[in-house]
């Protein structure tokens, strides 16, 4: 047994890779190899394939699974090679090119009837609608764009033998965009509605969808009002014997059609008239005629009642206009009107002409309504989607097929002009080395149809119609005779007894000339126009605004379609074109049915082989020099922001900098040509990386700015909790709030007591006092629901005997907290009072942050403010133990000396004495984060610093030199040494018994920044990071142990510089400078000559154990392992040092002495 390896596309999830995504890579270029590749992919449900930028789409005849929002997200902004071929990739390319190049885009969807053109157009409009943003107006425009599809399809699409949803009209939909890429308008141009389908259909075909939708889906009351019945009742529907389509729910589509009418802004009255006219067309078709003395008479007068009622005209007037006609006769300079009675054939033609005119003008009204709803008064950018009838070959081909195939011939000519002919001509003009490739240019066929000199088919037809007057008999044969005499020698023309044959690009098509002249005249007799202008309904009269007294010759149908087609071609030529070549794999309309001969024929006439050869031998990308330099200027410093010099030299410089292979590009006279798409992708990726780097810098600065503002706000909110009610500690005012001071991510044994999805808002190791005022350590966790106290106990049994294990000591529901008591002094005590239970006496240096978080969570949980009492004497209840009662205890707070609280416990009273702290109205420093860092700190400002920097060092005053080394210390505390967790403990290598001791943290110990606080600060140059005042230090690598911390206050109380009241602003700086100046010795005599410098003493050194990025202008940056000379050690933790020529402050716990 053998197994085969199934390849999948590298970027997509389980998408099988079948054949080649891009047929430019085929090893052998032939129709057979192209067909084989398409078949292989089609059988594996891969319906899209590339030929360079051209998309080939094969109709799968079933719903595919890769048109969801996931695919929209996958293809948005991605390069073409990153994902499998898809129509979303082409749509995204159009949209991005419009925004980048500021040029209009269009997509030309071509292929025969049933190849999937309409569905492709829907997917393009749907994708653009999803990826473009916008407000209410934009969303309204998007809704109209999407909803207009089912509306116009209802009135303009029908089932044919080749296609169950064949477009019987041409549509060019322009989606208009603002300069921001938002769709804010649109315009629809419609071409050549197949009006003859209203009155006649071939076997196994249907009329327009709307008739069946209305008969099936309209409410019973509306049906009764319109007089509708089953489809087989109406002559215009029962000729083909086909009333339903497999997989189509006419009733559901009727609801979508009515919803679309409402979306585009039709009033309920207008919607009613639309349905009235639609029903009147069916009723008109049931009027039949009999011969009465060589003249026509209505066979049954009852059939006149409903159409006259629905159209708002009298029954007699309708009968008269259908059976007679007013003819204008001129003789001898005089004119008179003659009432001519029609025969049965003429009366039937008149009836059909009225029905076709009503439906055609109603369709034009709907198109105009859509245009009005999304009209934009000015043009910016647009994307055009051309969804037009495909090339058709039926058993009997008439005037409609002739016009349809002519339009497709013109579209094929555009494709040739822009992809084959123009591309090769451009290479010649630009002087690019090139080997010409032969191809079939169908311009000769277009000229055969539309040329005036020599005359073509349309000119002969118009000339014949101009000489017809009122006589129709023999006109078609006369046209055929004149046509044979004019173009019989043309190599793409043949004639036969009933018509003629044209050799189109898609093959030979025989046309029956029967009714060619009548349909080309496209004249609605003025009798019928006057009849509709007599309607009692304004809406119907507005559909017939003609002036019936004009003598101007009417325009023929062929002239109209030729003019419209030329305007369309002109519009398309002004846009950057994209192409979708649709292929119909079979005539059975079944999935996975592949007809080899049919597919090969389409590959041949679509010119896919020639397209592959041109793309393979040519250049995938070309741009004018200035546009190329404008787009890729950012890749080199010399070309950014603009290249100064010759553009060709600029391009050569840019290409050499990105190491582009010289074989991959050529410079023409005005344009650069890049051969392979991969080379272009290299440029794009390099450009994206450049922009991504700059975007990250901007994002980092913006996020830091927002984070600092946020934490400043939090600090101010926390300050309000104790403002004017409690003294503050000197080093706690401006610190950052961390929240998690334990490092719960590294300690799941503590985190386990909270719920799995419960967020911990505050965590810290606190000191707990019992009924005898003995202290024990507890881990305090605060969430939005509970306050937890976690302790440790020795395991007495089992394999873990003798080890400490975390135990939940207390769990308090937030809403059960009655109040919190604190003293008015600077101590760290707080007492949590609980309703119906004992209270907890705790001590934490982060009490202000805890109170702030608890207040917010209590407010949201209990819907009331937390009561916080500030008293010198606090009573609290204690836990009942054994036989003893619970009882109460007291804590007395008094003002004493020193910053360290002095405790005096007695049996039932704990005395706490502490020295005065900062005033109760102290507030955190307010920082203006929108100003540069060096302007935010006091003392001189930016200009003074610039002057000091520009002044030579040896000329600076001695006091300034001293200031450089021993300037005012930062107002914030020194950061703690980094670790791998959040808090002061972090992951430790100590044994559990050592950690269980919980040494009390010194009151000046401040934790390191959290990993989740400010954004991470990647290692960058010190010159850059000094711009951010509160940038965070880098975390050390995993596995490094914690190092020494700054000495505690208790050990260095007598020399702690930061214990003094901090100086504020420029005045404080000047005072400090004057104090330092007065302490210096007087200079020796000698005039202005400087004193010789003494021999420098050897300064103590230290080694950096962590990297540090300066956060202010008076700090220095260093990396791990740097040697630093110590100029001054300070008890605050901020040391002064020097690295080479750089001097400044740095945190002492980031280094170790050598």
């Amino acid at each position: 047994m053998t197994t085969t390896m199934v390849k999948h596309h590298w970027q997509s999830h389980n998408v099988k890779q079948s054949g080649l995504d891009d047929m430019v890579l085929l090893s052998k270029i032939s129709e057979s190899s192209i067909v084989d590749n398409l078949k292989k992919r089609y059988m594996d449900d891969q319906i899209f394939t590339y030929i360079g930028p051209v998309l080939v789409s094969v109709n799968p005849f079933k719903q595919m699974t890769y048109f969801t929002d996931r695919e929209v997200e996958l293809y948005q902004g991605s390069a073409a090679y990153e994902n499998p071929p898809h129509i979303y990739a082409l749509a995204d390319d159009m949209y991005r090119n419009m925004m980048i190049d500021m040029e209009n885009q269009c997509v030309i969807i071509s292929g025969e009837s049933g190849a999937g053109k309409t569905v492709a157009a829907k997917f393009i409009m749907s994708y653009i609608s999803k990826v473009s943003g916008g407000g209410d107006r934009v969303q309204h425009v998007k809704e109209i764009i999407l909803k207009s599809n089912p509306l116009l399809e209802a009135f303009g699409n029908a089932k044919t033998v080749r296609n169950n949803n064949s477009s019987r009209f041409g549509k060019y939909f322009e989606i208009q965009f603002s300069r921001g890429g938002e769709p804010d308008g649109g315009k629809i141009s419609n071409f050549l509605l197949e009006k003859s389908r209203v009155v006649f259909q071939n076997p196994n075909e249907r009329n327009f969808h709307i008739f069946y939708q209305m008969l099936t889906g309209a409410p019973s009351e509306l049906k009764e009002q319109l007089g509708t019945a089953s489809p087989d009742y109406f002559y215009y529907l029962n000729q083909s014997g086909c009333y339903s389509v497999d997989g189509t729910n006419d009733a559901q589509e009727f609801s979508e059609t009515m919803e679309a009418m409402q979306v585009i802004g039709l009033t309920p009255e207008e919607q009613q008239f639309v349905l009235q006219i639609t029903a009147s067309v069916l009723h008109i078709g049931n009027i039949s005629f009999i011969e009465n003395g060589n003249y026509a008479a209505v066979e049954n007068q009852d059939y006149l009642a409903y159409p006259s009622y629905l159209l708002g005209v009298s029954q007699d007037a309708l009968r008269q206009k259908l059976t007679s006609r007013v003819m204008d006769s001129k003789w001898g300079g005089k004119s008179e009107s003659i009432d001519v009675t029609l025969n049965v054939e003429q009366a039937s033609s008149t009836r059909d002409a009225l029905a076709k005119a009503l439906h055609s003008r109603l369709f034009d009204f709907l198109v105009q309504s859509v245009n009005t709803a999304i009209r934009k008064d000015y043009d910016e950018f647009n994307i055009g989607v051309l969804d037009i009838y495909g090339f058709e070959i039926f058993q009997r081909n008439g005037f409609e097929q002739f016009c349809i195939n002519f339009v497709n011939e013109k579209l094929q000519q555009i494709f040739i002009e822009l992809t084959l002919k123009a591309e090769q001509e451009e290479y010649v003009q630009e002087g690019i080395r090139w080997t010409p490739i032969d191809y079939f240019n169908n311009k000769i066929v277009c000229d055969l149809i539309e040329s005036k000199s020599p005359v073509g088919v349309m000119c002969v037809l118009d000339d014949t119609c101009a000489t017809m007057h009122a006589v129709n008999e023999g006109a078609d044969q006369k046209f055929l005779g004149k046509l044979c005499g004019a173009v019989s020698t043309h190599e793409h023309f043949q004639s036969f007894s009933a018509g003629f044959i044209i050799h189109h690009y898609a093959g030979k098509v025989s046309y029956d000339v029967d009714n060619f002249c009548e349909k080309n005249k496209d004249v609605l007799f003025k009798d019928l126009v006057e009849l509709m202008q007599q309607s009692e309904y304004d809406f119907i009269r507005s559909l017939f605004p003609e002036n019936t007294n004009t003598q101007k010759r009417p325009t023929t149908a062929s002239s109209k379609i030729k003019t419209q087609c030329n305007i369309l071609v002109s519009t398309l030529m002004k846009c950057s074109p994209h192409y979708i070549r649709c292929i119909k794999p079979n005539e059975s309309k079944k999935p996975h049915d592949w007809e080899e001969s049919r597919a090969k024929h389409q590959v041949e006439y679509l010119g896919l082989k020639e397209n592959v050869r041109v793309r393979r031998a040519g250049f995938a990308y070309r741009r004018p020099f200035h546009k190329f330099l404008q787009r890729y200027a950012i890749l080199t410093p010399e070309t950014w922001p603009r290249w100064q010099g010759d553009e060709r030299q600029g391009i050569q410089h840019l290409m050499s900098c990105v190491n582009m292979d010289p074989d991959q590009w050529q410079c023409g006279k005005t344009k650069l040509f890049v051969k392979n798409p991969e080379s272009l992708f290299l440029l794009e990726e390099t450009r994206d990386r450049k922009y991504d780097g700059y975007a990250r810098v901007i994002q980092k600065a913006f996020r830091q700015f927002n984070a600092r503002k946020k934490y400043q706000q939090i600090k101010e909110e926390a300050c309000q909790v104790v403002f004017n009610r409690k003294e503050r500690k000197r080093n706690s005012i401006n610190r950052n709030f961390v929240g998690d001071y334990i490092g719960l991510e590294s300690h799941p044994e503590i985190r386990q007591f909270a719920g799995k999805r419960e967020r911990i808002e505050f965590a810290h190791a606190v000191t707990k006092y019992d009924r005898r005022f003995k202290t024990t350590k507890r881990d305090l966790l605060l969430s939005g629901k509970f306050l937890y106290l976690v302790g440790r106990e020795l395991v007495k049994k089992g394999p873990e005997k003798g080890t400490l294990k975390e135990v939940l000591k207390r769990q308090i529901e937030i809403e059960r907290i009655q109040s919190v008591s604190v003293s008015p002094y600077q101590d760290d005590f707080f007492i949590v009072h609980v309703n119906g239970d004992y209270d907890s006496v705790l001590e934490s240096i982060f009490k202000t942050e805890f109170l702030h978080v608890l207040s917010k969570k209590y407010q949201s949980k209990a819907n009331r403010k937390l009561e916080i009492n500030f008293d010198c004497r606090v009573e609290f209840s204690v836990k009942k133990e054994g036989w003893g009662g619970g009882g109460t205890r007291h804590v007395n707070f008094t003002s004493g000396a020193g910053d360290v609280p002095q405790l005096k416990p007695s049996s039932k009273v704990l005395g706490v004495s502490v020295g005065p702290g900062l005033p109760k109205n102290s507030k955190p420093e307010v920082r203006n984060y929108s100003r540069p860092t060096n302007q935010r700190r006091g003392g001189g400002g930016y200009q003074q610093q610039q002057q000091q920097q520009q002044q030579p060092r040896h000329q600076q005053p001695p006091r300034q030199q001293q200031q450089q080394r021993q300037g005012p210390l930062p107002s914030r505390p020194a950061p703690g040494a980094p670790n791998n967790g959040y808090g002061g403990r972090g992951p430790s290598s100590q044994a559990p018994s050592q950690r269980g001791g919980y040494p009390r943290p010194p009151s000046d110990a401040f934790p390191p920044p959290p990993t989740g606080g400010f954004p991470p600060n990647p290692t960058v140059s010190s010159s850059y990071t000094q711009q951010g005042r509160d940038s965070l230090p880098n975390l050390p690598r995993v596995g490094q142990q914690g190092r020494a911390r700054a000495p505690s206050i208790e050990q260095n109380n007598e020399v702690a510089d930061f214990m003094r009241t901090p100086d504020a602003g420029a005045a404080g700086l000047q005072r400090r400078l004057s104090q330092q100046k007065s302490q210096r010795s007087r200079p020796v005599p000698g005039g202005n000559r400087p004193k010789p410098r003494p021999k420098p003493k050897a300064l103590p050194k230290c080694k950096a154990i962590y990297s540090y990025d300066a956060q202010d202008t008076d700090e220095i940056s260093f990396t791990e392992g740097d040697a630093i000379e110590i100029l001054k050690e300070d008890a605050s933790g901020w040391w002064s040092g020097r690295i080479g020529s750089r001097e400044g402050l740095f945190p002492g716990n980031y280094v170790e002495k050598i």
Side-chain angles (χ1 to χ4, degrees), residues 460-469 516-518 520-521 556:
V460 176
L461 181 59
D462 288 346
D463 182 67
T464 305
C465 292
T467 58
M468 279 175 52
H469 301 295
F516 248 68
C517 293
E518 182 66 27
N520 184 53
K521 287 178 65 175
T556 61

Side-chain angles (χ1 to χ4, degrees), residues 504-570:
H504 289 283
Y505 76 97
K508 295 192 297 183
V509 182
S510 59
Y511 297 103
D512 192 334
V513 296
D514 188 27
N515 286 326
F516 248 68
C517 293
E518 182 66 27
K519 292 177 180 179
N520 184 53
K521 287 178 65 175
D522 195 30
V523 175
L524 183 64
F525 293 112
K526 70 176 185 178
D527 302 75
L528 299 179
V529 175
E530 291 173 350
L531 173 66
M532 293 297 100
Q533 290 177 346
Q534 295 170 7
S535 172
E536 62 182 82
Y537 302 126
D538 293 338
F539 181 85
I540 294 179
R541 291 199 300 270
S542 67
L543 299 180
F544 295 86
E546 292 97 327
N547 181 6
T548 57
N549 296 323
T550 182
Q551 301 297 322
K552 185 179 179 180
R553 175 182 293 180
T555 305
T556 61
S558 61
S559 298
K560 289 179 182 177
I561 192 63
K562 184 166 63 173
T563 302
Q564 288 180 321
C565 192
N566 288 330
I567 293 175
L568 174 63
V569 169
S570 176

Side-chain angles (χ1 to χ4, degrees), residues 1043-1059:
R1043 308 301 296 183
R1045 297 179 179 273
S1048 64
I1049 295 177
E1050 296 176 358
Q1051 298 172 346
N1052 299 279
N1053 192 38
E1054 66 281 359
V1055 294
D1057 182 66
F1058 74 98
M1059 296 297 290

Side-chain angles (χ1 to χ4, degrees), residues 138-181:
V138 172
Q139 295 301 325
H140 179 62
V141 170
K142 288 182 180 180
E143 188 177 17
I144 293 175
I145 290 173
L146 297 179
K147 292 293 185 181
S148 65
N149 277 322
L151 176 62
L152 298 183
E153 284 183 11
F155 287 85
N157 285 30
K159 177 190 181 301
T160 67
V161 293
R162 290 180 172 270
N163 187 358
N164 289 342
N165 186 34
S166 177
S167 298
R168 309 317 299 163
F169 72 104
K171 177 179 67 175
Y172 183 62
F173 202 138
E174 293 179 89
I175 306 174
Q176 298 172 327
F177 294 84
S178 66
R179 293 191 175 272

Side-chain angles (χ1 to χ4, degrees), residues 743-882:
L744 293 179
E745 288 186 355
S746 302
H747 293 281
E749 69 276 9
I750 302 175
R751 179 68 175 80
Q752 65 177 328
F753 300 107
K756 198 169 186 179
R757 299 182 180 275
E758 192 174 357
R759 179 176 176 179
I760 302 302
E761 304 290 344
F762 180 84
H764 184 232
V766 300
T767 303
K768 178 242 177 189
Y769 291 81
D770 63 7
R771 58 189 299 142
R772 298 178 182 83
F773 304 114
K774 293 183 178 179
T775 61
T776 53
K777 281 296 176 182
R778 293 286 185 264
D779 286 322
L780 183 148
L781 310 181
L782 178 61
S783 71
K785 297 179 180 179
F786 300 100
L787 187 151
Y788 304 89
L789 291 175
V790 180
R792 282 168 178 75
E793 293 181 355
L794 279 172
V795 179
K796 298 180 180 179
K797 296 181 180 180
E800 298 181 356
K801 181 179 179 181
T803 61
L804 286 173
K805 188 174 182 180
E806 285 72 12
V807 178
L808 181 62
K809 292 293 187 179
R810 192 171 191 189
Q811 179 178 351
I812 306 173
E813 296 181 359
I814 293 293
E815 57 265 32
R816 287 189 57 203
I817 297 177
Q818 179 180 355
S819 62
V820 179
S821 297
V822 294
S823 79
Y825 304 114
Q826 65 161 328
D827 60 274
D828 298 323
F829 285 84
F830 59 92
I831 297 93
V832 180
H833 303 279
V834 184
N835 278 326
D837 204 347
Y838 67 94
D839 304 330
S840 291
V841 180
L842 306 171
E843 185 181 15
S844 170
I845 60 174
F846 305 124
K847 59 190 177 302
T848 305
E849 181 178 353
F850 169 77
L851 292 175
H852 171 250
V853 176
L854 180 62
S855 299
K856 293 183 67 175
K857 296 305 171 184
Y858 186 86
Q859 174 80 31
S860 62
K861 189 72 175 177
N863 293 323
R864 60 179 181 272
K865 289 186 176 181
L866 176 66
E867 181 182 350
I868 303 178
N869 301 313
F870 297 82
D871 295 315
C872 294
R873 180 178 176 83
V874 179
E875 180 183 77
F876 65 94
S877 58
V878 296
K879 183 179 181 181
K880 183 178 180 180
E881 294 182 354

Side-chain angles (χ1 to χ4, degrees), residues 315-332:
Q315 189 170 328
D316 289 340
L318 178 59
R319 176 188 55 78
Q320 180 182 359
K321 297 300 183 182
L322 292 179
T323 57
S324 64
R325 183 183 307 162
V326 176
M327 303 284 294
D328 292 331
S329 175
K330 292 184 179 181
W331 185 260

